[in-house]
Amino acid sequence: MEESIQFFPASQAPKNPYFSILIPSWNNLHYLQLCVESIRKNAGVPFELIVHLNEAKDGSMEWVKAQKDIAFSYSEENVGVCHAMNAMRTLARADYLLYLNDDMVVLP
């Protein structure tokens, strides 16, 4: 299963993030965009965003690639939350991990 996961570090990774925010997503682009927007708007400490894309048949791959500050992993098939979380952890650089679903928003 792990050999079917591809990894893409962020091209503009933040320096010294306090949190690595891990977000698994499965063809849920609209909600993923709202989630990321809320994090960027309301986070009070330095963070890095890491997304796992299961399938990405909804345009989410193209959108995430355009976001230079998001690292991501990708699987052609849905590998489930556990494999997605483990894949994203390999990209994380912060001491603290924060798990969010792609349909969650972060408030001030």
Side-chain angles (χ1 to χ4, degrees):
M1 183 77 62
E2 291 179 18
E3 55 275 349
S4 66
I5 296 176
Q6 300 172 33
F7 298 90
F8 303 87
S11 61
Q12 295 176 359
K15 293 182 182 354
N16 303 316
Y18 189 75
F19 283 104
S20 293
I21 303 173
L22 310 179
I23 308 169
S25 187
W26 183 25
N27 295 321
N28 211 7
L29 177 58
H30 176 70
Y31 288 108
L32 177 62
Q33 290 171 322
L34 292 173
C35 178
V36 169
E37 178 184 331
S38 74
I39 294 165
R40 289 176 174 155
K41 179 180 176 184
N42 297 312
V45 297
F47 63 89
E48 69 177 344
L49 290 170
I50 305 169
V51 172
H52 179 80
L53 298 171
N54 279 305
E55 296 181 358
K57 294 179 179 177
D58 63 343
S60 54
M61 173 77 83
E62 294 77 14
W63 182 78
V64 169
K65 279 183 178 179
Q67 311 304 304
K68 303 299 183 192
D69 62 335
I70 298 179
F72 69 99
S73 54
Y74 165 73
S75 56
E76 192 172 312
E77 297 179 4
N78 182 5
V79 296
V81 173
C82 296
H83 282 291
M85 293 299 292
N86 287 328
M88 288 184 288
R89 174 60 187 108
T90 65
L91 293 167
R93 297 177 301 115
D95 290 334
Y96 300 101
L97 303 178
L98 174 64
Y99 166 72
L100 291 176
N101 286 315
D102 59 2
D103 61 354
M104 294 178 168
V105 293
V106 175
L107 300 175

